[in-house]
Amino acid sequence: MRMVVANWKMNHLRRDAEAFCATLLASYRPVDGVVAAIAPPFPLIPVVSRLVAGSGVRVYAQNAHAEAKGAYTGEVSMAMAMDAGCTGVLLGHSERRQYNGETEATLLPKVKAAAAQGLMPMLCVGETLAQRDANETLEVLRGQLAILAQAPVSPIAVAYEPVWAIGTGRVATVEQIAEVHAFIRKELATLMGAPGAQVPILYGGSVTPENFAEILKVPHVAGGLVGGASLDPAKYLKLLEIASL
Ligand code: 13P
């Protein structure tokens, strides 16, 4: 199974989302074994959900809170995300780790809450450039994945996004992706047992229609988590087409 997830981050207004979905749906045809998902900003989740209903395109949240409800001003619960049309939720994106203080301590209850709600968590992991340069990449990833020993939920997906490759145009080499994805696969088996073999592991970081085919050939790469290129419906369609080959 392959997945191409469009992470819109904090981009697009309603008219942009409507135009995107119109272009996407004019050409999109579901293909067996290829999951298409869009993660819009919160206010656009109901808009996109309504527009893609019945098309096979899934909608994910970019984050959600671990608590079911209550006095958490500015937050959105897993149930609210689901109620708005989401079937999955990105958790631990490096931008949330960097700007919102997301840590393993906050992510463990979120992974559990998502699974309890029936939202598929997509746990994002990745090292900074300083960590890679210091040869700490695998250690950092081991630490980020470790919460899955306490939350061995299924279904779940993992996205490997080296921080230095996000939005920089600097894609990881196939050798780097191969090393890390093989490592994550092994870690998942250790942490989760047999179900760990089924967890899709996506790559993210400057994915484009030009480099995606090469990336998909790397063992244990089950798709892409795409930022910049996913804002253009023509490019997103091209990525879906590449994933279906
Ligand atoms: P870019 O594709 O813009 O590098 O972003 C990757 C990413 O962070 C997706 O979550």
Side-chain angles (χ1 to χ4, degrees):
M1 200 247 304
R2 282 178 169 169
M3 310 177 76
V4 187
V5 181
N7 178 7
W8 284 0
K9 308 189 178 184
M10 196 173 74
N11 292 290
H12 285 340
L13 297 176
R14 183 167 48 192
R15 62 172 176 271
D16 308 310
E18 287 168 351
F20 181 101
C21 290
T23 305
L24 175 67
L25 297 176
S27 304
Y28 176 72
R29 299 292 171 269
V31 172
D32 269 356
V34 180
V35 171
I38 302 173
F42 285 130
L44 296 179
I45 288 174
V47 176
V48 173
S49 296
R50 184 172 44 78
L51 290 170
V52 303
S55 70
V57 176
R58 301 183 192 180
V59 181
Y60 290 178
Q62 296 176 16
N63 170 52
H65 200 270
E67 293 298 329
K69 59 175 166 175
Y72 300 98
T73 302
E75 295 291 345
V76 167
S77 72
M78 300 291 171
M80 290 170 187
M82 185 166 227
D83 194 38
C86 293
T87 58
V89 57
L90 307 183
L91 292 176
H93 191 281
S94 67
E95 287 148 17
R96 292 207 51 85
R97 294 176 189 262
Q98 185 180 352
Y99 303 126
N100 299 85
E102 200 87 81
T103 63
E104 275 54 65
T106 59
L107 288 167
L108 174 59
K110 287 187 178 198
V111 169
K112 288 181 177 170
Q117 185 61 45
L119 278 182
M120 191 197 68
M122 179 171 287
L123 180 66
C124 305
V125 297
E127 82 287 0
T128 63
L129 188 56
Q131 290 165 334
R132 176 162 283 274
D133 287 346
N135 253 325
E136 293 168 2
T137 298
L138 302 185
E139 239 6 83
V140 167
L141 296 171
R142 177 175 285 131
Q144 292 173 338
L145 291 166
I147 57 171
L148 297 180
Q150 295 162 73
V153 300
S154 176
I156 188 169
V158 170
Y160 168 55
E161 298 202 301
V163 177
W164 47 273
I166 295 177
T168 58
R170 185 177 161 194
V171 66
T173 65
V174 290
E175 291 80 15
Q176 289 169 327
I177 298 173
E179 181 194 23
V180 168
H181 278 243
F183 174 78
I184 293 174
R185 177 65 71 215
K186 248 183 34 218
E187 282 296 298
L188 292 175
T190 307
L191 295 163
M192 303 174 69
Q198 307 306 323
V199 174
I201 309 171
L202 281 65
Y203 169 80
S206 298
V207 169
T208 64
E210 287 69 44
N211 60 32
F212 197 36
E214 281 305 304
I215 293 169
L216 283 176
K217 283 189 207 148
V218 177
H220 305 296
V221 171
L225 177 56
V226 189
S230 79
L231 297 173
D232 175 343
K235 288 186 184 170
Y236 183 56
L237 277 163
K238 189 74 197 162
L239 293 168
L240 287 168
E241 182 193 322
I242 292 166
S244 72
L245 295 176

Short mmCIF file of all heavy atoms in Angstrom, two decimals, residues 166-198:
data_model
loop_
_atom_site.label_atom_id
_atom_site.label_comp_id
_atom_site.label_asym_id
_atom_site.label_seq_id
_atom_site.Cartn_x
_atom_site.Cartn_y
_atom_site.Cartn_z
N ILE A 166 13.23 19.64 4.77
CA ILE A 166 11.87 20.18 4.70
C ILE A 166 11.90 21.60 4.18
O ILE A 166 12.50 22.48 4.79
CB ILE A 166 11.19 20.11 6.08
CG1 ILE A 166 10.99 18.65 6.51
CG2 ILE A 166 9.86 20.86 6.06
CD1 ILE A 166 10.38 18.49 7.89
N GLY A 167 11.25 21.79 3.05
CA GLY A 167 11.12 23.14 2.50
C GLY A 167 12.42 23.74 2.02
O GLY A 167 12.50 24.94 1.76
N THR A 168 13.46 22.93 1.89
CA THR A 168 14.78 23.46 1.53
C THR A 168 15.15 23.13 0.09
O THR A 168 16.14 23.68 -0.41
CB THR A 168 15.86 22.83 2.43
OG1 THR A 168 15.81 21.40 2.26
CG2 THR A 168 15.64 23.18 3.89
N GLY A 169 14.41 22.25 -0.54
CA GLY A 169 14.80 21.80 -1.87
C GLY A 169 15.94 20.80 -1.81
O GLY A 169 16.40 20.30 -2.82
N ARG A 170 16.38 20.49 -0.59
CA ARG A 170 17.50 19.57 -0.42
C ARG A 170 16.96 18.22 0.02
O ARG A 170 16.74 17.95 1.20
CB ARG A 170 18.44 20.13 0.65
CG ARG A 170 19.67 19.32 0.82
CD ARG A 170 20.60 19.95 1.84
NE ARG A 170 21.53 18.93 2.30
CZ ARG A 170 22.29 19.05 3.36
NH1 ARG A 170 22.24 20.13 4.09
NH2 ARG A 170 23.12 18.08 3.71
N VAL A 171 16.69 17.35 -0.96
CA VAL A 171 16.11 16.05 -0.65
C VAL A 171 17.20 15.12 -0.14
O VAL A 171 18.36 15.24 -0.52
CB VAL A 171 15.42 15.48 -1.93
CG1 VAL A 171 16.42 15.18 -3.00
CG2 VAL A 171 14.57 14.28 -1.62
N ALA A 172 16.85 14.23 0.79
CA ALA A 172 17.82 13.24 1.26
C ALA A 172 18.22 12.34 0.10
O ALA A 172 17.44 12.13 -0.83
CB ALA A 172 17.22 12.43 2.40
N THR A 173 19.43 11.80 0.15
CA THR A 173 19.86 10.88 -0.91
C THR A 173 19.14 9.55 -0.73
O THR A 173 18.67 9.22 0.37
CB THR A 173 21.37 10.62 -0.86
OG1 THR A 173 21.67 9.94 0.37
CG2 THR A 173 22.15 11.93 -0.92
N VAL A 174 19.10 8.76 -1.79
CA VAL A 174 18.43 7.46 -1.66
C VAL A 174 19.16 6.59 -0.64
O VAL A 174 18.55 5.79 0.06
CB VAL A 174 18.29 6.72 -3.03
CG1 VAL A 174 17.29 7.42 -3.91
CG2 VAL A 174 19.61 6.58 -3.72
N GLU A 175 20.48 6.77 -0.53
CA GLU A 175 21.23 5.98 0.47
C GLU A 175 20.81 6.38 1.89
O GLU A 175 20.63 5.52 2.76
CB GLU A 175 22.75 6.20 0.31
CG GLU A 175 23.35 5.60 -0.95
CD GLU A 175 23.11 6.48 -2.18
OE1 GLU A 175 22.74 7.68 -2.02
OE2 GLU A 175 23.27 5.96 -3.30
N GLN A 176 20.66 7.68 2.11
CA GLN A 176 20.24 8.13 3.44
C GLN A 176 18.83 7.64 3.76
O GLN A 176 18.55 7.18 4.87
CB GLN A 176 20.29 9.67 3.51
CG GLN A 176 21.71 10.22 3.51
CD GLN A 176 21.75 11.74 3.30
OE1 GLN A 176 20.91 12.30 2.60
NE2 GLN A 176 22.71 12.39 3.90
N ILE A 177 17.95 7.73 2.78
CA ILE A 177 16.57 7.28 3.00
C ILE A 177 16.55 5.77 3.25
O ILE A 177 15.87 5.28 4.16
CB ILE A 177 15.68 7.65 1.79
CG1 ILE A 177 15.64 9.18 1.62
CG2 ILE A 177 14.27 7.10 1.97
CD1 ILE A 177 14.93 9.64 0.35
N ALA A 178 17.35 5.04 2.47
CA ALA A 178 17.38 3.57 2.62
C ALA A 178 17.86 3.19 4.01
O ALA A 178 17.27 2.31 4.67
CB ALA A 178 18.30 2.96 1.56
N GLU A 179 18.91 3.85 4.49
CA GLU A 179 19.45 3.51 5.81
C GLU A 179 18.40 3.76 6.89
O GLU A 179 18.14 2.91 7.75
CB GLU A 179 20.70 4.35 6.11
CG GLU A 179 21.31 3.98 7.47
CD GLU A 179 22.33 4.99 7.97
OE1 GLU A 179 22.30 6.17 7.55
OE2 GLU A 179 23.14 4.59 8.84
N VAL A 180 17.77 4.92 6.82
CA VAL A 180 16.83 5.29 7.88
C VAL A 180 15.56 4.44 7.81
O VAL A 180 15.05 3.99 8.85
CB VAL A 180 16.50 6.79 7.80
CG1 VAL A 180 15.31 7.12 8.70
CG2 VAL A 180 17.72 7.61 8.22
N HIS A 181 15.05 4.21 6.63
CA HIS A 181 13.80 3.44 6.54
C HIS A 181 14.01 1.99 7.00
O HIS A 181 13.14 1.41 7.65
CB HIS A 181 13.22 3.51 5.14
CG HIS A 181 12.42 4.76 4.91
ND1 HIS A 181 11.08 4.76 4.63
CD2 HIS A 181 12.79 6.06 4.99
CE1 HIS A 181 10.66 6.02 4.53
NE2 HIS A 181 11.67 6.82 4.74
N ALA A 182 15.17 1.40 6.67
CA ALA A 182 15.46 0.04 7.15
C ALA A 182 15.56 0.06 8.68
O ALA A 182 15.07 -0.86 9.36
CB ALA A 182 16.76 -0.46 6.53
N PHE A 183 16.16 1.12 9.22
CA PHE A 183 16.30 1.24 10.67
C PHE A 183 14.92 1.36 11.33
O PHE A 183 14.62 0.69 12.33
CB PHE A 183 17.16 2.46 11.02
CG PHE A 183 17.23 2.75 12.48
CD1 PHE A 183 18.05 2.02 13.32
CD2 PHE A 183 16.44 3.76 13.04
CE1 PHE A 183 18.10 2.28 14.68
CE2 PHE A 183 16.48 4.03 14.41
CZ PHE A 183 17.31 3.29 15.22
N ILE A 184 14.06 2.20 10.75
CA ILE A 184 12.72 2.38 11.33
C ILE A 184 11.95 1.07 11.28
O ILE A 184 11.27 0.70 12.25
CB ILE A 184 11.96 3.51 10.59
CG1 ILE A 184 12.63 4.87 10.87
CG2 ILE A 184 10.49 3.55 11.02
CD1 ILE A 184 12.04 6.03 10.09
N ARG A 185 12.06 0.35 10.18
CA ARG A 185 11.35 -0.94 10.07
C ARG A 185 11.78 -1.88 11.19
O ARG A 185 10.96 -2.56 11.82
CB ARG A 185 11.61 -1.55 8.68
CG ARG A 185 10.99 -2.92 8.48
CD ARG A 185 9.46 -2.91 8.51
NE ARG A 185 8.89 -2.28 7.34
CZ ARG A 185 7.77 -1.55 7.35
NH1 ARG A 185 7.11 -1.33 8.48
NH2 ARG A 185 7.29 -1.02 6.25
N LYS A 186 13.09 -1.92 11.45
CA LYS A 186 13.61 -2.80 12.51
C LYS A 186 13.12 -2.34 13.88
O LYS A 186 12.71 -3.14 14.72
CB LYS A 186 15.15 -2.80 12.48
CG LYS A 186 15.70 -4.13 12.06
CD LYS A 186 17.22 -4.24 12.08
CE LYS A 186 17.97 -3.48 13.14
NZ LYS A 186 19.23 -2.89 12.62
N GLU A 187 13.16 -1.04 14.10
CA GLU A 187 12.69 -0.49 15.37
C GLU A 187 11.22 -0.82 15.60
O GLU A 187 10.80 -1.17 16.70
CB GLU A 187 12.86 1.04 15.40
CG GLU A 187 14.28 1.49 15.67
CD GLU A 187 14.75 1.08 17.05
OE1 GLU A 187 14.17 1.51 18.06
OE2 GLU A 187 15.71 0.29 17.11
N LEU A 188 10.41 -0.69 14.54
CA LEU A 188 8.98 -0.95 14.68
C LEU A 188 8.74 -2.40 15.07
O LEU A 188 7.84 -2.70 15.87
CB LEU A 188 8.24 -0.61 13.37
CG LEU A 188 8.20 0.88 13.02
CD1 LEU A 188 7.55 1.09 11.66
CD2 LEU A 188 7.44 1.67 14.09
N ALA A 189 9.54 -3.31 14.52
CA ALA A 189 9.39 -4.73 14.88
C ALA A 189 9.72 -4.93 16.35
O ALA A 189 9.03 -5.66 17.07
CB ALA A 189 10.30 -5.58 14.00
N THR A 190 10.78 -4.25 16.80
CA THR A 190 11.17 -4.37 18.21
C THR A 190 10.10 -3.79 19.13
O THR A 190 9.76 -4.36 20.16
CB THR A 190 12.49 -3.62 18.45
OG1 THR A 190 13.44 -4.08 17.49
CG2 THR A 190 13.02 -3.84 19.85
N LEU A 191 9.57 -2.63 18.74
CA LEU A 191 8.63 -1.91 19.60
C LEU A 191 7.23 -2.49 19.58
O LEU A 191 6.51 -2.47 20.58
CB LEU A 191 8.55 -0.44 19.17
CG LEU A 191 9.83 0.39 19.34
CD1 LEU A 191 9.76 1.66 18.51
CD2 LEU A 191 10.05 0.72 20.81
N MET A 192 6.82 -2.99 18.41
CA MET A 192 5.41 -3.37 18.22
C MET A 192 5.21 -4.85 17.94
O MET A 192 4.07 -5.32 17.88
CB MET A 192 4.80 -2.59 17.03
CG MET A 192 4.89 -1.09 17.16
SD MET A 192 4.32 -0.27 15.65
CE MET A 192 2.56 -0.63 15.69
N GLY A 193 6.29 -5.57 17.70
CA GLY A 193 6.15 -6.97 17.31
C GLY A 193 5.69 -7.09 15.87
O GLY A 193 5.92 -6.18 15.06
N ALA A 194 5.01 -8.20 15.57
CA ALA A 194 4.65 -8.51 14.18
C ALA A 194 3.90 -7.37 13.46
O ALA A 194 4.18 -7.11 12.28
CB ALA A 194 3.84 -9.80 14.14
N PRO A 195 2.96 -6.67 14.12
CA PRO A 195 2.25 -5.60 13.40
C PRO A 195 3.19 -4.50 12.88
O PRO A 195 2.84 -3.77 11.95
CB PRO A 195 1.29 -5.03 14.45
CG PRO A 195 1.13 -6.11 15.47
CD PRO A 195 2.43 -6.85 15.48
N GLY A 196 4.38 -4.40 13.46
CA GLY A 196 5.34 -3.39 13.03
C GLY A 196 5.73 -3.55 11.56
O GLY A 196 6.12 -2.58 10.90
N ALA A 197 5.61 -4.78 11.06
CA ALA A 197 5.99 -5.04 9.65
C ALA A 197 4.98 -4.43 8.69
O ALA A 197 5.28 -4.24 7.51
CB ALA A 197 6.11 -6.53 9.42
N GLN A 198 3.77 -4.15 9.19
CA GLN A 198 2.69 -3.64 8.31
C GLN A 198 2.60 -2.12 8.30
O GLN A 198 1.84 -1.54 7.53
CB GLN A 198 1.33 -4.18 8.77
CG GLN A 198 1.26 -5.69 8.92
CD GLN A 198 1.69 -6.41 7.66
OE1 GLN A 198 1.40 -5.95 6.55
NE2 GLN A 198 2.41 -7.51 7.83
#
